[in-house]
Coordinates of all heavy atoms in Angstrom, one line a residue:
M168 N 108.8 -168.0 63.1 CA 108.9 -167.6 61.7 C 107.9 -166.5 61.4 O 106.7 -166.8 61.5 CB 108.7 -168.8 60.8 CG 109.9 -169.7 60.5 SD 111.0 -169.0 59.3 CE 110.3 -169.5 57.8
P169 N 108.3 -165.3 61.0 CA 107.3 -164.4 60.5 C 106.7 -164.8 59.2 O 107.3 -165.7 58.5 CB 108.1 -163.1 60.3 CG 109.5 -163.5 60.2 CD 109.7 -164.8 60.9
T170 N 105.5 -164.3 58.9 CA 104.9 -164.6 57.6 C 105.7 -164.0 56.5 O 106.5 -163.0 56.7 CB 103.5 -164.1 57.6 OG1 103.5 -162.7 57.8 CG2 102.6 -164.7 58.6
S171 N 105.5 -164.4 55.3 CA 106.1 -163.7 54.1 C 105.1 -163.7 53.0 O 104.3 -164.6 52.8 CB 107.4 -164.4 53.7 OG 107.2 -165.4 52.8
F172 N 105.2 -162.6 52.1 CA 104.3 -162.6 51.0 C 104.5 -163.8 50.1 O 103.5 -164.4 49.7 CB 104.6 -161.3 50.2 CG 103.7 -161.1 49.0 CD1 102.3 -160.8 49.2 CD2 104.1 -161.4 47.7 CE1 101.5 -160.7 48.1 CE2 103.3 -161.3 46.7 CZ 101.9 -161.0 46.8
K173 N 105.7 -164.1 49.8 CA 106.0 -165.1 48.8 C 105.5 -166.5 49.2 O 104.8 -167.2 48.4 CB 107.5 -165.2 48.6 CG 108.0 -166.0 47.5 CD 109.5 -165.9 47.4 CE 110.2 -167.0 46.6 NZ 110.2 -166.9 45.2
T174 N 105.7 -166.9 50.5 CA 105.3 -168.2 50.8 C 103.9 -168.3 51.4 O 103.3 -169.4 51.3 CB 106.3 -168.9 51.8 OG1 106.3 -168.1 53.0 CG2 107.7 -168.9 51.2
D175 N 103.4 -167.3 52.1 CA 102.1 -167.4 52.8 C 101.0 -166.6 52.1 O 99.9 -167.1 52.2 CB 102.3 -166.8 54.2 CG 103.4 -167.5 55.0 OD1 103.2 -168.7 55.2 OD2 104.3 -166.9 55.5
I176 N 101.2 -165.5 51.5 CA 100.2 -164.7 51.0 C 99.9 -164.9 49.5 O 98.7 -165.1 49.1 CB 100.4 -163.2 51.3 CG1 100.7 -163.0 52.8 CG2 99.3 -162.3 50.8 CD1 99.6 -163.4 53.7
A177 N 101.0 -164.9 48.7 CA 100.8 -165.0 47.3 C 100.0 -166.3 46.9 O 99.1 -166.2 46.0 CB 102.1 -165.0 46.5
P178 N 100.2 -167.4 47.5 CA 99.5 -168.6 47.2 C 98.0 -168.5 47.5 O 97.1 -169.2 46.8 CB 100.1 -169.8 48.0 CG 101.5 -169.3 48.4 CD 101.3 -167.8 48.5
I179 N 97.6 -167.7 48.5 CA 96.2 -167.6 48.8 C 95.5 -166.8 47.7 O 94.4 -167.1 47.3 CB 96.0 -166.8 50.2 CG1 96.6 -167.6 51.3 CG2 94.5 -166.4 50.4 CD1 96.6 -166.8 52.6
F180 N 96.1 -165.8 47.2 CA 95.5 -164.9 46.2 C 95.7 -165.3 44.8 O 94.9 -164.8 43.9 CB 96.0 -163.4 46.4 CG 95.6 -162.8 47.7 CD1 96.4 -161.8 48.3 CD2 94.4 -163.1 48.3 CE1 96.0 -161.2 49.4 CE2 94.0 -162.5 49.5 CZ 94.8 -161.5 50.0
A181 N 96.7 -166.1 44.5 CA 97.1 -166.4 43.1 C 95.9 -166.9 42.3 O 95.7 -166.5 41.1 CB 98.2 -167.4 43.0
P182 N 95.0 -167.7 42.8 CA 93.9 -168.2 42.0 C 93.0 -167.1 41.5 O 92.2 -167.3 40.5 CB 93.1 -169.2 42.9 CG 94.1 -169.5 44.0 CD 95.0 -168.4 44.1
F183 N 93.0 -165.9 42.1 CA 92.1 -164.9 41.8 C 92.7 -163.7 41.0 O 92.0 -162.7 40.7 CB 91.5 -164.3 43.1 CG 90.8 -165.4 43.9 CD1 91.4 -165.8 45.1 CD2 89.6 -165.9 43.6 CE1 90.8 -166.8 45.8 CE2 89.0 -166.9 44.3 CZ 89.6 -167.3 45.5
Y184 N 94.0 -163.8 40.7 CA 94.6 -162.5 40.2 C 94.0 -162.0 38.9 O 93.9 -160.8 38.7 CB 96.1 -162.8 40.1 CG 96.6 -163.3 38.7 CD1 96.8 -162.5 37.7 CD2 96.6 -164.7 38.5 CE1 97.2 -163.0 36.4 CE2 97.0 -165.2 37.3 CZ 97.3 -164.4 36.2 OH 97.6 -164.9 35.0
A185 N 93.6 -163.0 38.0 CA 93.2 -162.5 36.7 C 91.9 -161.7 36.8 O 91.8 -160.7 36.0 CB 92.9 -163.8 35.8
Q186 N 91.0 -162.0 37.7 CA 89.8 -161.2 37.8 C 90.0 -159.9 38.5 O 89.1 -159.0 38.4 CB 88.7 -162.0 38.6 CG 88.1 -163.1 37.9 CD 88.8 -164.4 38.1 OE1 89.8 -164.5 38.8 NE2 88.4 -165.5 37.4
M187 N 91.1 -159.6 39.1 CA 91.3 -158.4 39.8 C 92.4 -157.5 39.1 O 92.7 -156.4 39.6 CB 91.7 -158.6 41.3 CG 90.6 -158.9 42.2 SD 89.2 -157.7 42.2 CE 90.0 -156.2 42.7
I188 N 92.9 -158.0 38.0 CA 94.1 -157.3 37.4 C 93.7 -155.9 36.9 O 94.6 -155.0 36.8 CB 94.7 -158.2 36.3 CG1 96.1 -157.8 35.9 CG2 93.8 -158.2 35.0 CD1 97.1 -158.7 36.5
W189 N 92.5 -155.6 36.7 CA 92.0 -154.3 36.3 C 92.3 -153.3 37.4 O 92.4 -152.1 37.1 CB 90.5 -154.3 36.0 CG 89.7 -154.7 37.2 CD1 89.4 -156.0 37.5 CD2 89.1 -153.9 38.2 NE1 88.6 -156.0 38.7 CE2 88.5 -154.7 39.1 CE3 89.1 -152.5 38.4 CZ2 87.8 -154.2 40.2 CZ3 88.4 -152.0 39.5 CH2 87.8 -152.9 40.4
R190 N 92.5 -153.7 38.6 CA 92.7 -152.8 39.8 C 94.1 -153.0 40.3 O 94.7 -152.0 40.6 CB 91.6 -153.1 40.8 CG 91.7 -152.3 42.1 CD 91.6 -150.9 41.9 NE 91.6 -150.2 43.2 CZ 92.7 -149.9 43.9 NH1 93.9 -150.3 43.5 NH2 92.6 -149.3 45.0
F191 N 94.5 -154.2 40.6 CA 95.9 -154.5 41.0 C 96.2 -155.9 40.8 O 95.3 -156.7 40.5 CB 96.1 -154.1 42.5 CG 95.0 -154.5 43.4 CD1 94.6 -155.8 43.6 CD2 94.3 -153.5 44.2 CE1 93.5 -156.1 44.4 CE2 93.3 -153.8 45.0 CZ 92.9 -155.1 45.1
D192 N 97.5 -156.2 40.8 CA 97.9 -157.6 40.6 C 98.2 -158.3 41.9 O 99.1 -158.0 42.6 CB 99.2 -157.6 39.7 CG 99.5 -159.0 39.2 OD1 99.2 -160.0 39.9 OD2 100.2 -159.1 38.2
L193 N 97.3 -159.2 42.3 CA 97.3 -159.9 43.6 C 98.6 -160.8 43.7 O 98.8 -161.3 44.8 CB 96.1 -160.7 43.8 CG 94.8 -160.0 44.2 CD1 93.6 -160.8 44.0 CD2 94.9 -159.4 45.6
R194 N 99.3 -160.9 42.6 CA 100.6 -161.7 42.7 C 101.8 -160.9 43.0 O 102.9 -161.4 43.3 CB 100.9 -162.5 41.4 CG 99.8 -163.4 40.9 CD 100.0 -163.8 39.5 NE 100.0 -162.6 38.6 CZ 100.2 -162.6 37.3 NH1 100.5 -163.7 36.7 NH2 100.2 -161.5 36.6
V195 N 101.6 -159.6 43.0 CA 102.8 -158.7 43.0 C 102.9 -158.0 44.4 O 102.0 -157.3 44.8 CB 102.7 -157.6 41.9 CG1 103.8 -156.6 42.1 CG2 102.8 -158.2 40.6
Y196 N 104.0 -158.3 45.1 CA 104.2 -157.8 46.4 C 103.8 -156.3 46.6 O 103.0 -156.0 47.5 CB 105.6 -158.1 46.9 CG 106.0 -157.4 48.2 CD1 105.5 -157.9 49.4 CD2 106.9 -156.3 48.2 CE1 105.8 -157.3 50.6 CE2 107.2 -155.7 49.4 CZ 106.7 -156.2 50.6 OH 107.0 -155.6 51.7
E197 N 104.4 -155.4 45.8 CA 104.3 -154.0 46.1 C 102.8 -153.6 45.9 O 102.3 -152.7 46.7 CB 105.1 -153.2 45.0 CG 106.6 -153.2 45.3 CD 107.2 -154.5 44.8 OE1 106.6 -155.4 44.1 OE2 108.4 -154.8 45.1
Q198 N 102.1 -154.3 45.1 CA 100.7 -153.9 44.8 C 99.8 -154.4 45.9 O 98.8 -153.7 46.3 CB 100.2 -154.4 43.5 CG 101.0 -153.7 42.3 CD 100.5 -154.0 41.0 OE1 99.3 -154.3 40.8 NE2 101.4 -154.0 40.0
V199 N 100.0 -155.5 46.5 CA 99.2 -156.0 47.6 C 99.6 -155.3 48.8 O 98.7 -154.9 49.6 CB 99.5 -157.6 47.8 CG1 98.8 -158.0 49.0 CG2 99.0 -158.3 46.6
K200 N 100.9 -154.9 49.0 CA 101.2 -154.1 50.2 C 100.6 -152.8 50.1 O 100.0 -152.3 51.1 CB 102.8 -154.0 50.2 CG 103.2 -153.2 51.5 CD 104.7 -153.1 51.5 CE 105.2 -152.3 52.7 NZ 106.7 -152.1 52.7
A201 N 100.6 -152.1 49.0 CA 100.0 -150.8 48.8 C 98.5 -150.8 49.1 O 97.9 -149.8 49.5 CB 100.3 -150.2 47.5
N202 N 97.8 -151.9 48.9 CA 96.4 -152.0 49.1 C 96.0 -152.9 50.2 O 94.8 -153.3 50.3 CB 95.7 -152.5 47.8 CG 95.9 -151.6 46.6 OD1 95.2 -150.6 46.5 ND2 96.8 -151.8 45.7
A203 N 96.9 -153.2 51.1 CA 96.7 -154.2 52.1 C 95.5 -154.0 53.0 O 94.7 -154.9 53.3 CB 97.9 -154.4 53.0
L204 N 95.3 -152.7 53.5 CA 94.2 -152.5 54.4 C 92.8 -152.6 53.7 O 91.9 -153.1 54.2 CB 94.3 -151.1 55.1 CG 95.6 -151.0 56.0 CD1 95.6 -149.6 56.6 CD2 95.6 -152.0 57.1
L205 N 92.8 -152.1 52.4 CA 91.6 -152.3 51.6 C 91.3 -153.7 51.4 O 90.1 -154.2 51.5 CB 91.8 -151.5 50.3 CG 90.6 -151.4 49.4 CD1 89.4 -150.6 50.0 CD2 91.0 -150.7 48.1
I206 N 92.3 -154.5 51.0 CA 92.1 -155.9 50.8 C 91.6 -156.6 52.0 O 90.7 -157.4 52.0 CB 93.4 -156.5 50.2 CG1 93.7 -156.0 48.8 CG2 93.3 -158.1 50.3 CD1 95.1 -156.4 48.3
D207 N 92.2 -156.3 53.2 CA 91.8 -156.9 54.4 C 90.3 -156.6 54.7 O 89.5 -157.5 55.1 CB 92.6 -156.3 55.6 CG 92.2 -156.9 56.9 OD1 92.0 -158.1 57.0 OD2 92.1 -156.2 57.9
Q208 N 89.8 -155.4 54.4 CA 88.4 -155.1 54.6 C 87.5 -155.9 53.7 O 86.5 -156.4 54.1 CB 88.1 -153.6 54.2 CG 88.5 -152.6 55.3 CD 88.2 -151.2 54.7 OE1 87.5 -151.0 53.8 NE2 88.9 -150.2 55.3
F209 N 87.9 -156.1 52.5 CA 87.1 -156.8 51.5 C 87.0 -158.3 51.7 O 86.0 -158.9 51.6 CB 87.5 -156.5 50.1 CG 86.9 -155.2 49.5 CD1 87.3 -154.0 49.9 CD2 85.8 -155.4 48.6 CE1 86.7 -152.8 49.3 CE2 85.2 -154.2 48.1 CZ 85.7 -153.0 48.5
I210 N 88.1 -158.9 52.1 CA 88.1 -160.3 52.3 C 87.4 -160.7 53.6 O 86.9 -161.8 53.8 CB 89.5 -161.0 52.3 CG1 90.4 -160.5 53.4 CG2 90.2 -160.8 51.0 CD1 91.8 -161.2 53.5
S211 N 87.3 -159.7 54.5 CA 86.6 -159.9 55.8 C 85.2 -159.5 55.8 O 84.5 -159.6 56.8 CB 87.3 -159.2 56.9 OG 88.7 -159.4 56.9
S212 N 84.7 -159.0 54.7 CA 83.4 -158.3 54.6 C 82.2 -159.3 54.6 O 82.4 -160.5 54.4 CB 83.4 -157.4 53.4 OG 82.2 -156.6 53.4
D213 N 81.0 -158.7 54.8 CA 79.8 -159.5 54.7 C 79.6 -160.0 53.2 O 80.2 -159.5 52.3 CB 78.6 -158.6 55.1 CG 78.4 -157.4 54.1 OD1 77.7 -157.6 53.1 OD2 79.0 -156.4 54.4
P214 N 78.8 -161.0 53.0 CA 78.7 -161.7 51.7 C 78.3 -160.7 50.6 O 78.7 -161.0 49.4 CB 77.6 -162.7 51.9 CG 77.6 -163.0 53.4 CD 78.0 -161.7 54.0
D215 N 77.6 -159.7 50.8 CA 77.2 -158.8 49.7 C 78.4 -158.0 49.1 O 78.4 -157.6 48.0 CB 76.2 -157.7 50.2 CG 74.8 -158.4 50.4 OD1 74.6 -159.5 49.9 OD2 74.0 -157.8 51.1
N216 N 79.4 -157.7 50.0 CA 80.5 -156.9 49.5 C 81.9 -157.6 49.5 O 82.9 -157.1 49.0 CB 80.7 -155.7 50.5 CG 79.5 -154.8 50.5 OD1 79.0 -154.4 49.5 ND2 79.0 -154.5 51.7
R217 N 81.9 -158.9 49.9 CA 83.2 -159.5 50.1 C 83.9 -159.9 48.8 O 83.3 -160.0 47.8 CB 83.1 -160.7 51.0 CG 82.7 -162.0 50.3 CD 82.8 -163.2 51.2 NE 81.9 -164.3 50.7 CZ 82.2 -165.0 49.7 NH1 83.3 -164.9 49.0 NH2 81.4 -166.0 49.3
M218 N 85.2 -160.0 48.9 CA 86.1 -160.6 47.9 C 86.7 -161.9 48.4 O 87.1 -162.0 49.5 CB 87.2 -159.6 47.5 CG 86.7 -158.4 46.8 SD 86.3 -158.8 45.2 CE 84.9 -157.6 44.9
P219 N 86.8 -163.0 47.6 CA 86.2 -163.0 46.3 C 84.6 -163.0 46.3 O 84.1 -163.4 47.3 CB 86.7 -164.4 45.7 CG 87.0 -165.2 47.0 CD 87.4 -164.2 48.0
P220 N 84.0 -162.5 45.2 CA 82.5 -162.3 45.3 C 81.8 -163.7 45.5 O 82.4 -164.7 45.1 CB 82.2 -161.8 43.9 CG 83.5 -161.1 43.4 CD 84.6 -162.0 44.0
A221 N 80.6 -163.6 46.0 CA 79.9 -164.9 46.4 C 79.7 -165.8 45.2 O 79.8 -167.0 45.4 CB 78.6 -164.5 47.1
N222 N 79.5 -165.2 44.0 CA 79.3 -166.1 42.9 C 80.6 -166.7 42.3 O 80.5 -167.5 41.4 CB 78.5 -165.3 41.8 CG 79.2 -164.0 41.4 OD1 79.8 -163.4 42.2 ND2 79.0 -163.7 40.1
Y223 N 81.7 -166.4 42.9 CA 82.9 -167.0 42.6 C 83.3 -168.1 43.6 O 84.4 -168.6 43.5 CB 84.1 -166.0 42.4 CG 84.1 -165.4 41.1 CD1 83.1 -164.4 40.7 CD2 85.0 -165.7 40.1 CE1 83.1 -163.9 39.4 CE2 85.0 -165.2 38.8 CZ 84.0 -164.3 38.5 OH 84.0 -163.8 37.2
G224 N 82.4 -168.4 44.5 CA 82.7 -169.5 45.4 C 82.8 -169.1 46.8 O 82.4 -168.0 47.2
P225 N 83.3 -169.9 47.7 CA 83.3 -169.7 49.1 C 84.2 -168.6 49.5 O 85.2 -168.2 48.7 CB 83.8 -171.0 49.7 CG 84.5 -171.7 48.6 CD 83.9 -171.2 47.3
P226 N 84.0 -167.9 50.6 CA 85.0 -166.9 51.1 C 86.4 -167.6 51.4 O 86.5 -168.8 51.4 CB 84.4 -166.4 52.4 CG 83.4 -167.5 52.8 CD 83.0 -168.2 51.6
L227 N 87.4 -166.8 51.5 CA 88.6 -167.3 52.0 C 88.4 -168.0 53.4 O 87.5 -167.6 54.1 CB 89.7 -166.2 52.1 CG 90.1 -165.5 50.8 CD1 91.2 -164.5 51.1 CD2 90.5 -166.5 49.7
S228 N 89.2 -169.0 53.7 CA 89.0 -169.6 55.0 C 89.4 -168.7 56.1 O 90.2 -167.7 55.9 CB 89.9 -170.9 55.1 OG 91.3 -170.5 55.2
G229 N 88.9 -168.9 57.3 CA 89.2 -168.1 58.5 C 90.7 -168.1 58.7 O 91.3 -167.1 59.1
Q230 N 91.3 -169.3 58.4 CA 92.8 -169.3 58.6 C 93.5 -168.4 57.6 O 94.5 -167.8 58.0 CB 93.3 -170.8 58.5 CG 94.7 -170.9 58.7 CD 95.2 -172.4 58.8 OE1 94.4 -173.3 58.8 NE2 96.5 -172.6 58.7
D231 N 93.1 -168.4 56.4 CA 93.7 -167.6 55.4 C 93.5 -166.1 55.7 O 94.5 -165.3 55.6 CB 93.1 -167.8 54.0 CG 93.6 -169.1 53.4 OD1 94.5 -169.7 53.9 OD2 92.9 -169.6 52.4
I232 N 92.4 -165.7 56.2 CA 92.1 -164.3 56.6 C 93.0 -164.0 57.8 O 93.6 -162.9 57.8 CB 90.6 -164.1 56.9 CG1 89.8 -164.3 55.6 CG2 90.4 -162.7 57.5 CD1 88.3 -164.3 55.8
A233 N 93.1 -164.9 58.7 CA 94.0 -164.7 59.9 C 95.4 -164.5 59.5 O 96.2 -163.7 60.0 CB 93.8 -165.8 60.9
T234 N 95.9 -165.3 58.5 CA 97.2 -165.2 58.0 C 97.5 -163.9 57.4 O 98.5 -163.2 57.6 CB 97.5 -166.3 57.0 OG1 97.3 -167.6 57.6 CG2 98.9 -166.2 56.5
F235 N 96.5 -163.4 56.7 CA 96.7 -162.1 56.0 C 96.7 -161.0 57.1 O 97.6 -160.0 57.0 CB 95.5 -161.8 55.1 CG 95.8 -160.6 54.2 CD1 96.8 -160.6 53.2 CD2 95.0 -159.4 54.3 CE1 97.0 -159.5 52.4 CE2 95.2 -158.3 53.5 CZ 96.2 -158.4 52.5
K236 N 95.9 -161.0 58.1 CA 96.0 -160.0 59.2 C 97.3 -160.1 59.9 O 97.9 -159.1 60.3 CB 94.8 -160.3 60.2 CG 93.4 -159.9 59.6 CD 92.3 -160.1 60.6 CE 90.9 -159.9 60.0 NZ 90.7 -158.6 59.5
T237 N 97.8 -161.3 60.2 CA 99.1 -161.4 60.8 C 100.2 -160.8 59.9 O 101.1 -160.1 60.4 CB 99.4 -162.9 61.0 OG1 98.4 -163.5 61.9 CG2 100.8 -163.1 61.7
W238 N 100.1 -161.0 58.6 CA 101.1 -160.5 57.7 C 101.1 -158.9 57.8 O 102.2 -158.3 57.8 CB 100.8 -161.0 56.3 CG 101.7 -160.5 55.2 CD1 103.0 -160.9 55.0 CD2 101.4 -159.5 54.2 NE1 103.5 -160.2 53.9 CE2 102.5 -159.4 53.4 CE3 100.2 -158.8 53.8 CZ2 102.6 -158.5 52.3 CZ3 100.3 -158.0 52.8 CH2 101.4 -157.8 52.0
I239 N 99.9 -158.3 57.8 CA 99.9 -156.9 58.0 C 100.5 -156.4 59.3 O 101.3 -155.5 59.4 CB 98.4 -156.4 57.9 CG1 97.9 -156.6 56.4 CG2 98.3 -154.9 58.3 CD1 96.4 -156.3 56.3
A240 N 100.1 -157.2 60.4 CA 100.6 -156.8 61.7 C 102.1 -156.9 61.8 O 102.8 -156.2 62.5 CB 100.0 -157.7 62.8
E241 N 102.7 -157.8 61.0 CA 104.2 -158.0 61.0 C 104.8 -157.0 60.0 O 106.1 -157.1 59.8 CB 104.5 -159.4 60.6 CG 104.1 -160.4 61.7 CD 104.3 -161.8 61.4 OE1 104.6 -162.2 60.2 OE2 104.3 -162.7 62.3
G242 N 104.1 -156.1 59.4 CA 104.6 -155.1 58.5 C 104.8 -155.5 57.1 O 105.6 -154.9 56.4
C243 N 104.0 -156.4 56.7 CA 103.9 -156.9 55.3 C 105.3 -157.3 54.7 O 105.8 -156.8 53.7 CB 103.4 -155.8 54.3 SG 101.7 -155.1 54.8
P244 N 105.9 -158.3 55.4 CA 107.2 -158.7 54.9 C 107.2 -159.4 53.5 O 106.2 -160.1 53.2 CB 107.7 -159.7 56.0 CG 106.6 -160.0 56.9 CD 105.5 -159.0 56.6
P245 N 108.2 -159.2 52.7 CA 108.2 -159.7 51.3 C 108.3 -161.2 51.3 O 107.8 -161.9 50.4 CB 109.4 -159.1 50.7 CG 110.2 -158.6 51.8 CD 109.3 -158.3 53.0
Ligands
HEM358 C1 90.8 -163.1 47.2 C2 90.6 -162.5 46.0 C3 90.2 -161.1 45.8 C4 90.6 -160.0 46.5 C5 91.6 -159.9 47.7 C6 89.9 -158.8 45.9 C7 90.0 -157.5 46.4 C8 89.3 -156.5 46.0 C9 89.3 -155.1 46.5 C10 90.2 -154.7 47.6 C11 88.4 -154.4 45.8 C12 88.1 -152.9 46.0 C13 88.9 -152.1 45.0 C14 88.7 -150.6 45.2 O1 87.8 -150.2 45.9 O2 89.6 -149.9 44.7 C15 87.8 -155.3 44.8 C16 86.8 -154.9 43.9 C17 86.3 -155.7 42.9 N1 86.6 -157.0 42.7 FE1 87.9 -158.1 43.8 N2 89.1 -159.3 44.9 C18 89.3 -160.6 44.8 C19 88.7 -161.5 43.9 C20 87.8 -161.1 42.9 C21 87.2 -162.0 41.9 C22 87.4 -163.5 41.9 C23 86.4 -161.2 41.1 C24 85.6 -161.8 40.0 C25 85.1 -161.0 39.1 C26 86.5 -159.8 41.6 C27 85.9 -158.7 41.1 C28 85.9 -157.5 41.6 C29 85.0 -156.4 41.1 C30 84.1 -156.5 39.9 C31 85.3 -155.3 41.9 C32 84.7 -153.9 41.8 C33 83.3 -153.9 42.3 C34 83.1 -154.2 43.7 O3 83.7 -153.5 44.5 O4 82.3 -155.1 44.0 N3 87.4 -159.8 42.7 N4 88.3 -156.5 44.9

């Protein structure tokens, strides 16, 4: 089964959409796809630069980050 935005990616980002809506809507397929490489950099980044920011809690899990990378590698399926 390939990954899909709807079942695998949207649930990871949904809790954070309100804080990022000024830039893009993390619930919307086209917007996450358009910013996928940038988002990948930020969720994988060091604590000073990462998303979600350190004062908003723990980083995404290694599994969630791996799922996002797989989704990109599969061509960002909807
Ligand atoms: C997993 C959830 C999140 C993702 C994937 C994400 C992604 C990103 C990305 C890709 C940027 C860079 C935008 C650009 O350079 O054009 C960014 C910036 C930013 N995000 Fe998020 N974000 C998340 C959660 C949050 C949360 C919870 C907050 C809470 C306030 C937040 C606040 C900000 C702010 C203030 C910036 C601009 C300043 C900076 O780069 O540090 N984000 N985010």
Side-chain angles (χ1 to χ4, degrees):
M168 277 281 277
T170 57
S171 89
F172 180 75
K173 193 178 157 83
T174 62
D175 300 303
I176 305 303
I179 296 173
F180 291 153
F183 304 104
Y184 87 89
Q186 284 90 1
M187 282 305 301
I188 199 101
W189 60 275
R190 175 61 175 80
F191 40 60
D192 189 332
L193 284 165
R194 301 167 301 176
V195 174
Y196 169 70
E197 288 77 9
Q198 296 188 27
V199 174
K200 183 179 180 184
N202 293 284
L204 295 180
L205 186 62
I206 291 170
D207 180 43
Q208 280 176 24
F209 272 77
I210 63 177
S211 311
S212 189
D213 62 88
D215 288 345
N216 296 313
R217 83 168 157 80
M218 290 288 145
N222 53 331
Y223 275 75
L227 299 184
S228 70
Q230 184 173 347
D231 285 346
I232 293 170
T234 299
F235 192 67
K236 289 180 186 299
T237 301
W238 180 72
I239 292 175
E241 290 176 348
C243 306

